[in-house]
Amino acid sequence: MKKIYFLAFLLISWNAFAQGLPGLGAGTTPNNRPILHGKNWVAITGKPLAATAGSMIFQQGGNAVDAACAMIAATSTMWDVLSWGGETQALIYNPKTKKVIGINAMGVAPTGATVDFYKSQGMAYPPQFGPLAATTPGTPGGIMTMLAEFGTMSLEQVLKPAMDLAKGYPIEAQTANAIENNKARIKEWPYSKKVFLPHLGEQREAPSAGEIFVQEDLYQTLLKLVEAERAALKAKKSRKEAIYAAYDRFYKGDIAKEIVRGTREQGGLFTESDLANWKVKIEEPLQVNYRGVDVYKLQEWTQGPALLQSLNILENFDLKSMGYNSANYINTVYQAMSLAFADRDFYYGDPAFVKSPMKGLLSKEYAKERAKLIGEINDPKITAGDPYPFQGESNPYLNLLNKNKQTVAALSPEDLKAGLDEKFLADFQSGTTSVQTADAEGWVVSVTPSGGWIPAVIAGNTGVGLSQRMQSFVLDKNLNPYNLPDPGKRPRVTLTPSLAMKDGKPYLAFSVQGGDSQDQNLLQFFLNVVEFDMNVQEAVEAPNFNSYQMQSSFGDHEIRPGAITLREDTPEWIRRDLLRKGYIMDFWNKTSGPITAIWIDWKHGTFWGGASNYGDDYGIAW
């Protein structure tokens, strides 16, 4: 009899969970981590020490932008799947103007980085690693621009935690083991070998977990920035002018010269003018309204608009009635993402070079047409649509779009049954980190910095690890005519911070690491909150599914139509339904993704912070 009662309880609990009912299983129950509650500020990022850096800045009186800058600097110093030569992109809510601002600190292709150059090297895509994978450094400029324009503190104050880390910190196992596992490639680059492998010749040449990891060259580079700021302040320059003096030293002074020298010595293409001519862009983000919530993403040089397109498509369905993570819900959301990401793969690129049809892509009318393609069975041959008529124009690449459709239509049964091998998954879900901050004054910041992950080429004696983001370009215009490399052009990246507003006020800040899975995880997180009434910690821990029916932005840019990763506790009846709907399934212990998020509780004037239990993500609130 006890077994019958227990089984009945399990069925009731799962049904309540699936329907999103409050009280009984409305989200993951219990949470693996506590909700963060704060009255004054919240700081959440990928590593505990970096969250501590943000809390230090808040405790010194800094605002959310100051804290975010300190956290980006700290995570870059800790090689949290990024470095100082990587890229930074952010969304900032400014309570003074009551507007959301986009920060575009993505580096660009250097001089000589063209389709013909890479093809002359026998490459089908720009390489994953090495000096020819590097875009110009963006993160230093991003930090300094955010701080100068929207922060309150000096660069010296904000860089102090990172400088302390560079002088030596106890390295965590994740980074230490990544160095050891990649040491063969690291040894190809002399400056990387000097920094990463302090025990050359020993069985373990990388640092061990808990060992003090020292980066003296990086410390000296950061000190030079502080010295430039001090000199400007001594010359009676303003706080902002002094920060930009440091900016100029990095991009036009002795630091830039050493970055260029060290990169070219190792086979890279950088010139001094590449760094000097690069500028951070402060731009207007893109936005759609989903059931009364305004959702903001960066422009189409990121994959962010794919989340907005997905929301527009899904607005045509009653998701809540389907039940959370039911087979119908998964099938509907999966296909909506497939439609949006097919458009991403063909149309997105740097708008400074070729203007993508974003007005049409983000129109509600186009979304309604795309929604009509969603059926009971998954379509593994979904391709990009034609949004140009929805903005009153003709498609200039219609011939390439038709070729693209023909290529997809010709996929063989073997192509459609391809499994998920380890290398494909590693490339597809290449990580980064995330930063979320908010304060009582009203500033809210969401950042997804990345680039320069291990194994990274370090640029000369600067300690600056270079980005590997060139690999996100394609060399075949039939794949994407908007995302071909040209000097000065930004690749279409996966990095995608998010902000949402409701009733004219900040509502959610959220981002996640994980390559092409980012906007998939963020879409499901957002729906968890808006459709299924989960609190922020429930929503970041809740099981997501990952689709691979989109072109990877990394490595060989592969695609796996119909492939899906689900959490291993997915019930058998849902597995059977998905199998009938045409899915190739893979199961993991954790699928939530390392999501970090802040929900603003206007009723009580407080913040709720969430950091998933997927990885090392960590938050502090007060």
Side-chain angles (χ1 to χ4, degrees), residues 245-563:
Y247 182 112
D248 286 344
R249 185 169 186 181
F250 188 94
Y251 288 98
K252 299 177 182 178
D254 55 339
I255 300 173
K257 291 180 186 298
E258 178 59 14
I259 288 173
V260 170
R261 185 205 66 78
T263 303
R264 295 185 72 85
E265 176 193 328
Q266 298 174 92
L269 300 175
F270 288 1
T271 67
E272 290 183 30
S273 59
D274 288 333
L275 270 67
N277 293 333
W278 178 83
K279 293 285 187 296
V280 176
K281 295 185 178 183
I282 301 175
E283 59 189 30
E284 186 174 345
L286 299 172
Q287 172 262 329
V288 301
N289 183 278
Y290 180 83
R291 306 197 196 284
V293 179
D294 292 316
V295 186
Y296 292 83
K297 301 293 281 189
L298 291 167
Q299 294 180 14
E300 65 270 22
W301 56 274
T302 75
Q303 69 170 331
L307 182 143
L308 303 182
Q309 286 189 248
S310 298
L311 288 174
N312 277 349
I313 293 168
L314 291 170
E315 204 170 31
N316 294 283
F317 298 89
D318 185 355
L319 297 178
K320 191 164 188 175
S321 70
M322 295 179 186
Y324 171 73
N325 273 7
S326 68
N328 284 339
Y329 176 82
I330 292 170
N331 180 57
T332 302
V333 176
Y334 186 103
Q335 290 186 71
M337 294 194 302
S338 296
L339 291 160
F341 277 89
D343 286 337
R344 178 204 74 167
D345 290 344
F346 187 80
Y347 289 111
Y348 290 16
D350 186 350
F353 279 71
V354 185
K355 187 64 178 172
S356 300
M358 295 314 300
K359 183 178 179 182
L361 287 168
L362 294 182
S363 73
K364 298 289 187 180
E365 293 73 22
Y366 179 66
K368 287 178 182 176
E369 290 302 308
R370 296 293 269 169
K372 293 175 183 177
L373 299 175
I374 294 177
E376 289 295 313
I377 305 297
N378 179 55
D379 180 1
K381 296 186 178 183
I382 284 172
T383 59
D386 185 3
Y388 278 94
F390 294 86
Q391 59 184 43
E393 298 174 12
S394 298
N395 194 329
Y397 296 111
L398 195 57
N399 62 323
L400 299 181
L401 179 63
N402 290 331
K403 286 182 181 179
N404 187 284
K405 290 178 183 293
Q406 291 165 12
T407 300
V408 173
L411 288 172
S412 68
E414 289 72 29
D415 293 326
L416 301 179
K417 292 179 182 177
L420 299 174
D421 60 86
E422 188 174 336
K423 182 183 182 303
F424 171 78
L425 288 172
D427 289 345
F428 192 94
Q429 297 186 325
S430 295
T432 174
T433 195
S434 60
V435 172
Q436 319 297 323
T437 59
D439 65 36
E441 188 183 350
W443 292 93
V444 183
V445 184
S446 180
V447 195
T448 319
S450 189
W453 51 76
I454 296 165
V457 176
I458 289 179
N461 295 304
T462 63
V464 172
L466 298 178
S467 169
Q468 300 95 339
R469 199 58 64 171
M470 285 297 297
Q471 67 182 297
S472 291
F473 281 116
V474 297
L475 304 182
D476 181 354
K477 64 182 180 181
N478 291 316
L479 290 174
N480 184 339
Y482 303 81
N483 190 36
L484 304 170
D486 276 305
K489 190 176 187 179
R490 290 164 167 82
R492 196 277 299 151
V493 297
T494 54
L495 307 162
T496 177
S498 315
L499 272 178
M501 304 274 290
K502 190 174 183 181
D503 301 324
K505 299 176 182 178
Y507 175 60
L508 277 172
F510 53 110
S511 62
V512 66
Q513 51 184 290
D516 289 281
S517 67
Q518 288 181 47
D519 272 312
Q520 300 185 54
N521 288 334
L522 295 177
L523 172 67
Q524 293 171 73
F525 161 83
F526 178 81
L527 295 174
N528 291 344
V529 174
V530 174
E531 294 284 3
F532 297 103
D533 302 318
M534 294 187 197
N535 68 48
V536 70
Q537 187 62 36
E538 288 175 330
V540 300
E541 289 188 18
N544 288 331
F545 57 87
N546 277 324
S547 165
Y548 307 97
Q549 190 163 308
M550 58 201 67
Q551 191 174 54
S552 173
S553 301
F554 306 94
D556 295 329
H557 292 241
E558 297 174 88
I559 186 170
R560 295 286 191 272

Side-chain angles (χ1 to χ4, degrees), residues 1-54:
M1 185 65 75
K2 287 182 180 178
K3 287 183 179 179
I4 294 173
Y5 287 143
F6 180 67
L7 288 171
F9 173 76
L10 284 179
L11 288 170
I12 292 168
S13 296
W14 175 262
N15 186 60
F17 180 73
Q19 295 298 327
L21 297 177
L24 183 58
T28 52
T29 311
N31 293 332
N32 286 278
R33 288 185 175 181
I35 297 169
L36 296 169
H37 289 288
K39 181 177 69 172
N40 299 297
W41 51 263
V42 184
I44 314 176
T45 188
K47 297 290 181 187
L49 282 177
T52 301

Side-chain angles (χ1 to χ4, degrees), residues 171-187 196-209 211 454-455:
I171 193 169
E172 76 284 1
Q174 181 187 38
T175 302
N177 292 337
I179 294 171
E180 179 68 14
N181 293 337
N182 288 279
K183 65 183 179 181
R185 193 183 295 272
I186 287 169
K187 288 178 182 178
F196 287 129
L197 302 176
H199 307 300
L200 277 172
E202 300 177 20
Q203 183 174 356
R204 183 182 176 96
E205 296 178 305
S208 298
E211 180 178 339
I454 296 165

